């Protein structure tokens, strides 16, 4: 994990017939106090002020650390916290970084699906629901591009031999099917309320898969183009043309008449 060499060790040295000893250089730094930045203390920013606060931040840091490991830049991770918060559980339960990555992805997916379900409780209007679904995608895109980067990492770990999901494609498939099912239910509810065109019910699943493909794809384009594409503008244009194709415009005109 440390990338150490038995011939020229930097961190752990083998002691004949005795075992091992730590030889790495340890440097202590005084952490900045609350309200004072690293510039005031004269010490480098340790980056520990907001380390482990919030699920989104944890997932983003995990994805970044995973990228460093794959690039051949291994590192140690220090778990700090009060007694009883589960530090030992994390250390002992997840035997490999692959298991930890898998658990983090599944936890993040459950959170995202919960947010998707909550949209149905906020409004029954199909157009507003589509807008909120798009906004849910945009939230992950506009936070330092971590959402698309994580999505790209999931694709990589699913398609490449030896990836975390390569031998577990059913996990990604089930998550995808659950998301599609929620979107389909939203469309079918709109049809039953007379808000959407009746024929949509026959192709509801295909419509939802195409919607997801567009949103995933445009976020990836935004990541590749590095700000050249206005992702929010592109999604707004897409919905502007899509919503009239779904809504029961003829019924609206009859009611207005």
């Amino acid at each position: 994990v440390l990338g150490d060499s038995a011939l020229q060790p930097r961190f752990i040295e083998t002691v004949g017939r005795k075992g091992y000893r730590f030889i790495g250089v340890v440097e202590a730094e005084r952490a900045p106090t609350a309200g004072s930045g690293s510039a005031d203390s004269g010490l480098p920013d340790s980056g520990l002020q907001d380390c482990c606060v919030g699920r989104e931040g944890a997932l983003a840091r995990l994805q970044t650390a995973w990228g460093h490991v794959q690039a051949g830049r291994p590192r140690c991770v220090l778990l700090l916290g009060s007694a009883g918060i589960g530090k030992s559980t994390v250390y002992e339960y997840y035997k490999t970084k692959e298991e930890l990555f898998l658990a983090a992805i599944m936890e993040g997916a459950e959170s995202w699906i919960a947010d998707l379900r909550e949209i149905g409780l906020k409004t029954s209007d199909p157009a507003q629901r589509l807008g909120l679904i798009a906004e849910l995608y945009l939230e992950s895109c506009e936070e330092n591009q971590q959402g698309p980067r994580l999505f790209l990492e999931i694709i990589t770990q699913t398609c490449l031999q030896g990836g975390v999901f390569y031998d577990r494609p059913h996990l990604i498939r089930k998550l995808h099917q659950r998301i599609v099912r929620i979107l389909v239910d939203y469309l079918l509810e709109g049809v039953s309320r007379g808000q959407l065109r009746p024929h949509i019910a026959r192709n509801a699943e295909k419509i939802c898969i195409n919607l997801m493909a567009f949103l995933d794809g445009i976020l990836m384009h935004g990541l590749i183009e590095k700000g050249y594409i206005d992702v929010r503008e592109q999604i707004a244009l897409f919905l502007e043309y899509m919503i009239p194709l779904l809504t029961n415009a003829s019924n609206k005109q009859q009611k207005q008449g």
Side-chain angles (χ1 to χ4, degrees):
V1 174
L2 296 174
D4 218 352
S5 169
L7 298 177
Q8 295 181 328
R10 295 177 299 162
F11 305 107
I12 300 175
E13 180 182 49
T14 303
V15 180
R17 298 187 179 182
K18 292 184 179 181
Y20 307 92
R21 64 183 176 187
F22 182 75
I23 61 172
V25 178
V26 179
E27 297 180 357
E29 291 185 354
R30 178 173 58 85
T33 58
S36 63
S38 57
D40 296 333
S41 64
L43 295 174
D45 188 357
S46 64
L48 298 177
Q49 291 89 334
D50 62 347
C51 181
C52 293
V53 177
R55 181 178 292 148
E56 294 296 330
L59 287 173
R61 283 187 295 275
L62 177 60
Q63 191 272 333
T64 300
W66 179 271
H68 285 303
V69 171
Q70 288 190 313
R73 299 191 300 274
R75 61 198 52 220
C76 289
V77 176
L78 179 62
L79 297 176
L80 295 175
S82 304
I85 66 170
K87 301 187 298 297
S88 298
T89 300
V90 173
Y91 176 76
E92 295 174 359
Y93 185 81
Y94 300 110
K95 302 301 182 183
T96 65
K97 61 181 180 294
E98 288 82 4
E99 291 184 10
L100 180 58
F101 180 78
L102 175 62
I105 292 300
M106 300 307 291
E107 173 68 15
E110 291 297 333
S111 175
W112 196 89
I113 289 175
D115 291 339
L116 185 62
R117 291 187 184 280
E118 189 176 345
I119 289 175
L121 303 177
K122 292 180 178 180
T123 178
S124 61
D125 182 82
Q128 292 181 6
R129 283 180 173 178
L130 286 173
L132 291 174
I133 292 169
E135 193 63 35
L136 189 59
Y137 274 82
L138 283 166
E139 286 177 4
S140 64
C141 173
E142 295 178 346
E143 293 181 1
N144 299 321
Q145 297 286 340
Q146 290 296 344
R149 292 179 189 276
L150 189 58
F151 178 68
L152 178 60
E153 186 63 36
I154 293 173
I155 293 177
T156 302
Q157 296 300 320
T158 302
C159 299
L160 294 184
Q161 187 173 3
V164 175
F165 294 106
Y166 184 79
D167 294 324
R168 305 180 180 95
H170 61 284
L171 296 178
I172 298 298
R173 190 180 305 117
K174 286 182 178 179
L175 289 174
H176 181 267
Q177 290 172 347
R178 287 172 61 190
I179 295 172
V180 171
R181 186 69 256 173
I182 295 172
L183 299 179
V184 167
D185 287 344
Y186 287 163
L187 289 186
L188 295 181
E189 183 180 338
V191 172
S192 66
R193 291 173 178 269
Q195 299 167 309
L196 300 179
R197 299 174 186 270
H199 70 271
I200 288 175
R202 297 195 303 269
N203 297 304
E205 183 175 352
K206 295 178 181 179
I207 293 172
C208 293
I209 291 175
N210 276 271
L211 173 63
M212 291 175 59
F214 167 77
L215 292 173
D216 289 336
I218 196 65
L219 293 186
M220 295 304 297
H221 274 284
L223 175 62
I224 294 171
E225 296 293 339
K226 300 184 183 302
Y228 178 76
I229 293 178
D230 188 331
V231 175
R232 181 175 291 275
E233 182 180 78
Q234 295 295 326
I235 291 179
L237 180 64
F238 177 81
L239 293 180
E240 180 182 344
Y241 282 90
M242 180 182 183
I243 291 175
L245 296 175
L246 300 178
T247 54
N248 203 339
S250 59
N251 284 355
K252 288 183 178 180
Q253 292 175 356
Q254 291 177 4
K255 291 179 181 179
Q256 290 175 356

